[in-house]
Amino acid sequence: MKQLSKSIRYAYWNTIKDINPLFVEAQYAVRGQVPSMAATIQEEINAGKKYPFDSITELNIGNPQTFGQKPISFNRSVLSAMLDPSILKYQSGDVQRRVTFYNDKIGFQVGAYSQSPGYPIIREAVANFIQKRDATKNRPSINDIILTDGASSGITLMFNLLLKDKNDGVMIPIPQYPLYSAVIAQCGAQQIPYYLVEEKNWSAEQQQLEEQYSKAKRNGINPRILVCINPGNPTGQVFDKQSIVEMIKFAAEKKITIFADEVYQENIYDPKKKFISFRKVANELNLDVEIYSFHSISKGITGECGLRGGYMEITSKVDSEVHFQIHKSKTIMLCSNTVGQLMTGLMVTPPTVEEGCSESTVQQYNEECKALFTSLQRRAGIVTQYLNQTKGVSCQPIEGAMYAFPRIFLSDKYVEHAKKLGYQPDVLYCLDLLKETGLVVVPGSGFLQYPGTYHFRMTILILPEEKLLAKMKVFQQWHENYMAKFQ
């Protein structure tokens, strides 16, 4: 057979022109341009190229265990024995008891499909957790609970179900988590931004909701969904009850569905703040409002991002035919992964004396959780302090979640410099920060931000805390030296 000429180019069956343009349009900044360059730099370091640092520090994503956060030992012991029954005899009596409980309901068949919405015993545990958390007699039915591969898959499922065409719109808080803008783009729907007020610690204002709703209607967009992220990502605020009341009343009046993204509900560091679920407030108000709430094992104290587990709750106000379509769609997708389902059950059902666990097991579990939480609380304080001590940087208090979203005050000279190089100013800032310090943060433009302001998002997750202090000092010195060039 004759060899093909090198000048003949292989004819690919699919090119970018053949890809769904809605998917091409979608952007996800958390793993975007800056993290991509960071991966390249790390490869170059590994190959022997010299940089002013030994390795990159990934502050772009909330991935606790990459920084050395340890998993909760009871949870991992139970999960290990479920995956490998031969080690069960070596586990404590309390672990054996929980494994036996699951085995009686599930069997050691973790590699088999579960029911499409998830194991009934885990959905039962989630329903009990929600009832206890909200201190209410109104316990959800397990048919209102769907176990998901993290919160993202539940959110994506519901966007695909509820957004019909290009005239449908989703009201998203700005700054927002980029999953929302990306999936809205994939669905061919419209973003309706409502701006959080930074000077009031990223509060959601009723006037802003009304203005953006009216503007969308004038432009022929039909607002269908109101996204509420509490605690906030990337902003770290915790909504008080009055804010939640106002958002629920707004949604009820406009007949807009609420998506309550509550994956950081355990991560509240301000002792004056507490988590209040949208579900709880809606029930107290007794308003006809449709709410879908989402939770995940990736954050909180559990921090099991890679296991991909979580749940979605469908509120009782949802039409029965819509309820059926949700379950049908989940059936088409089959079940979420069973390891994530089990970890979700462990997240919502800690060991207790009432369950029959020993006091020592309960104490160890509580001590591990407390140590993780208090460390996160301290780290939130360290990051807030150092950012606010840096000239030309301002950061609202990190009340919750796992991130800071500081504002960087860039001079007109710098903005002009960035534009001449063909960059958005915050993108150039983050790229230079990466190349000169190895710190990987995400430009605020990837989360969207109020016009004329510039920010970046960074996690608070670096361990040990001494390393976090050292990295904050590196940032502080770099920022002040870097910006001095553009005065």
Side-chain angles (χ1 to χ4, degrees), residues 23 101 143 196 200 282 285 361 444:
F23 279 67
F101 172 73
N143 290 326
L196 303 177
K200 297 182 180 179
L285 294 172
T361 293

Side-chain angles (χ1 to χ4, degrees), residues 251-265:
E253 178 189 341
K254 309 296 187 186
K255 299 191 183 319
I256 300 177
T257 298
I258 290 177
F259 278 20
D261 181 337
E262 299 174 335
V263 303
Y264 295 98
Q265 58 189 261

Side-chain angles (χ1 to χ4, degrees), residues 22 26-28 176-187 191:
L22 299 177
Q27 301 292 325
Y28 188 64
Q176 52 102 37
Y177 179 49
L179 167 73
Y180 290 102
S181 54
V183 180
I184 292 166
Q186 289 177 342
C187 292
Q191 299 175 32

Side-chain angles (χ1 to χ4, degrees), residues 239-338:
F239 288 139
D240 59 23
K241 185 173 182 178
Q242 185 55 38
S243 296
I244 296 172
V245 167
E246 289 175 0
M247 284 186 273
I248 290 173
K249 286 183 175 179
F250 170 82
E253 178 189 341
K254 309 296 187 186
K255 299 191 183 319
I256 300 177
T257 298
I258 290 177
F259 278 20
D261 181 337
E262 299 174 335
V263 303
Y264 295 98
Q265 58 189 261
E266 294 177 59
N267 298 100
I268 297 180
Y269 312 123
D270 185 339
K272 294 181 289 222
K273 294 292 184 83
K274 64 178 181 178
F275 173 74
I276 306 171
S277 74
F278 275 74
R279 174 190 188 276
K280 175 181 174 67
V281 177
N283 284 334
E284 290 173 355
L285 294 172
N286 196 28
L287 290 173
D288 288 331
V289 61
E290 195 171 295
I291 301 177
Y292 299 90
S293 63
F294 306 91
H295 195 13
S296 169
I297 64 172
S298 299
K299 313 303 177 185
I301 303 303
T302 309
E304 298 277 14
C305 300
L307 298 187
R308 308 308 299 135
Y311 70 79
M312 174 180 78
E313 184 200 359
I314 308 165
T315 58
S316 57
K317 303 292 184 182
V318 173
D319 179 84
S320 61
E321 292 185 8
V322 173
H323 202 288
F324 171 78
Q325 293 299 325
I326 295 170
H327 275 265
K328 183 185 78 173
S329 296
K330 189 66 183 71
T331 299
I332 293 168
M333 296 167 62
L334 302 178
C335 67
S336 59
N337 84 87
T338 55

Side-chain angles (χ1 to χ4, degrees), residues 124-407:
E124 189 88 26
V126 170
N128 291 336
F129 162 78
I130 291 171
Q131 182 182 28
K132 182 178 180 181
R133 179 199 68 191
D134 291 347
T136 177
K137 295 179 181 179
N138 184 10
R139 178 184 177 276
S141 161
I142 71 164
N143 290 326
D144 294 332
I145 306 296
I146 293 180
L147 303 182
T148 57
D149 289 313
S152 300
S153 66
I155 291 165
T156 302
L157 168 67
M158 292 310 305
F159 271 159
N160 278 289
L161 271 170
L162 294 181
L163 298 174
K164 307 187 304 299
D165 55 46
K166 64 181 182 180
N167 296 319
D168 280 349
V170 181
M171 301 188 71
I172 54 174
I174 304 300
Q176 52 102 37
Y177 179 49
L179 167 73
Y180 290 102
S181 54
V183 180
I184 292 166
Q186 289 177 342
C187 292
Q190 307 299 318
Q191 299 175 32
I192 306 171
Y194 67 94
Y195 292 96
L196 303 177
V197 181
E198 183 170 7
E199 295 75 16
K200 297 182 180 179
N201 202 16
W202 302 109
S203 66
E205 301 289 311
Q206 184 79 11
Q207 181 180 351
Q208 178 66 199
L209 291 170
E210 294 284 355
E211 287 177 359
Q212 296 301 325
Y213 175 88
S214 298
K215 181 179 178 181
K217 295 293 279 187
R218 288 195 303 272
N219 291 333
I221 300 171
N222 180 28
R224 296 286 312 285
I225 297 167
L226 172 65
V227 173
C228 306
I229 308 175
N230 182 45
N233 176 11
T235 44
Q237 88 286 359
V238 178
F239 288 139
D240 59 23
K241 185 173 182 178
Q242 185 55 38
S243 296
I244 296 172
V245 167
E246 289 175 0
M247 284 186 273
I248 290 173
K249 286 183 175 179
F250 170 82
E253 178 189 341
K254 309 296 187 186
K255 299 191 183 319
I256 300 177
T257 298
I258 290 177
F259 278 20
D261 181 337
E262 299 174 335
V263 303
Y264 295 98
Q265 58 189 261
E266 294 177 59
N267 298 100
I268 297 180
Y269 312 123
D270 185 339
K272 294 181 289 222
K273 294 292 184 83
K274 64 178 181 178
F275 173 74
I276 306 171
S277 74
F278 275 74
R279 174 190 188 276
K280 175 181 174 67
V281 177
N283 284 334
E284 290 173 355
L285 294 172
N286 196 28
L287 290 173
D288 288 331
V289 61
E290 195 171 295
I291 301 177
Y292 299 90
S293 63
F294 306 91
H295 195 13
S296 169
I297 64 172
S298 299
K299 313 303 177 185
I301 303 303
T302 309
E304 298 277 14
C305 300
L307 298 187
R308 308 308 299 135
Y311 70 79
M312 174 180 78
E313 184 200 359
I314 308 165
T315 58
S316 57
K317 303 292 184 182
V318 173
D319 179 84
S320 61
E321 292 185 8
V322 173
H323 202 288
F324 171 78
Q325 293 299 325
I326 295 170
H327 275 265
K328 183 185 78 173
S329 296
K330 189 66 183 71
T331 299
I332 293 168
M333 296 167 62
L334 302 178
C335 67
S336 59
N337 84 87
T338 55
V339 173
Q341 290 187 43
L342 287 168
M343 187 56 73
T344 301
L346 289 161
M347 175 183 73
V348 300
T349 318
T352 62
V353 173
E354 291 76 15
E355 174 190 354
C357 289
S358 65
E359 290 185 2
S360 61
T361 293
V362 174
Q363 182 179 357
Q364 180 183 352
Y365 181 93
N366 290 338
E367 285 176 353
E368 288 181 24
C369 291
K370 183 179 180 181
L372 281 171
F373 177 81
T374 54
S375 175
L376 283 164
Q377 193 174 41
R378 287 192 300 270
R379 282 177 275 165
I382 290 168
V383 171
T384 303
Q385 176 187 347
Y386 270 87
L387 288 172
N388 283 320
Q389 287 176 352
T390 303
K391 183 180 179 181
V393 178
S394 172
C395 184
Q396 297 298 314
I398 304 170
E399 296 177 339
M402 294 179 171
Y403 314 99
F405 196 68
R407 181 174 178 181

